[in-house]
Amino acid sequence: MAQRSTQTRPGERKDARRNYERLLTAAQAAFAEDGVGASLNDIARTAGVGNVTLYRHFPTRQALLEALLGESLRGLRTRSDELLASASPHEALTIWLAAAVEHAMTYRGLVDALVDSLADPASDLYATCQAVKTAGAQLLDRAQRAGTARPDVDASALFSLVAAVAWASERTPAHGDQLLAVMLDGLRYRAGNSGQG
């Protein structure tokens, strides 16, 4: 389960902080049950607050997702930094990609929200998603320089592969491990799959 931020904002009143936490708790439960498309009105109602309070704290669905998932998404970035120091570039990329796919499946429908956010610089999730994409790109580049990852894949394609595997695995969980294995196998460099010639 993804960790959510518990940072206190400067000058925030206790009742405002309590409402913020209630909204996050209600959203976490609603997204776990109904996916990221869960009704925001129902989330506010479950939290015992009005819609105005919900939108004061979270003006968009993406802002609510950032509050719930931002810390765990940033954790993927931190994990990539740790893996950059590992002895095996291929193993580092493999470990990180498995974690990225798992994270993208935190809530039903999250993959679409993350892909949409990455395409929209105005999204509340854009900066965090961009940092995750950059993290994957660094691990991919290291594996490519080591000759273990095919050179014709870039960061955008890698992010698309993660999204595709997570999306398909969400719909057919029994095939999730197999789909991940196929993606990882397809990324491995072999003579003839370099995209050249």
Side-chain angles (χ1 to χ4, degrees):
M1 179 61 72
Q3 295 179 329
R4 68 186 204 209
S5 174
T6 56
Q7 293 178 333
T8 302
R9 292 172 287 195
E12 189 170 47
R13 296 187 336 250
K14 286 183 182 178
D15 61 333
R17 185 65 198 172
R18 186 171 46 249
N19 289 339
Y20 179 86
E21 288 298 329
R22 285 179 179 167
L23 285 163
L24 286 180
T25 298
Q28 194 168 36
F31 289 166
E33 175 138 354
D34 300 322
V36 298
S39 165
L40 296 182
N41 291 339
D42 288 349
I43 289 171
R45 191 176 309 110
T46 300
V49 302
N51 288 351
V52 171
T53 300
L54 168 68
Y55 290 111
R56 183 182 314 121
H57 287 290
F58 309 109
T60 65
R61 188 176 298 272
Q62 288 79 13
L64 184 52
L65 283 168
E66 167 63 32
L68 281 173
L69 298 174
E71 188 172 328
S72 58
L73 282 167
R74 287 184 287 277
L76 279 175
R77 172 68 205 204
T78 300
R79 183 69 174 125
S80 76
D81 291 340
E82 295 166 357
L83 288 167
L84 282 170
S86 80
S88 169
H90 179 74
E91 183 179 354
L93 180 62
T94 297
I95 290 169
W96 190 86
L97 286 171
V101 167
E102 182 180 352
H103 189 281
M105 295 171 57
T106 302
Y107 301 122
R108 192 171 65 255
L110 179 59
V111 171
D112 292 328
L114 295 175
V115 170
D116 290 347
S117 294
L118 193 57
D120 178 11
S123 165
D124 293 291
L125 270 171
Y126 176 81
T128 306
C129 287
Q130 190 64 46
V132 170
K133 182 178 174 181
T134 299
Q138 290 174 324
L139 290 166
L140 174 64
D141 178 65
R142 183 170 177 250
Q144 287 170 329
R145 284 186 282 113
T148 61
R150 52 190 299 160
D152 59 329
V153 177
D154 64 12
S156 292
L158 188 69
F159 191 86
S160 294
L161 285 169
V162 167
V165 170
W167 184 89
S169 299
E170 178 183 289
R171 283 149 182 80
T172 55
H175 296 153
D177 289 342
Q178 182 182 24
L179 292 169
L180 178 62
V182 169
M183 177 183 76
L184 295 173
D185 186 59
L187 283 170
R188 185 182 282 277
Y189 175 76
R190 293 177 186 83
N193 75 353
S194 66
Q196 300 170 350

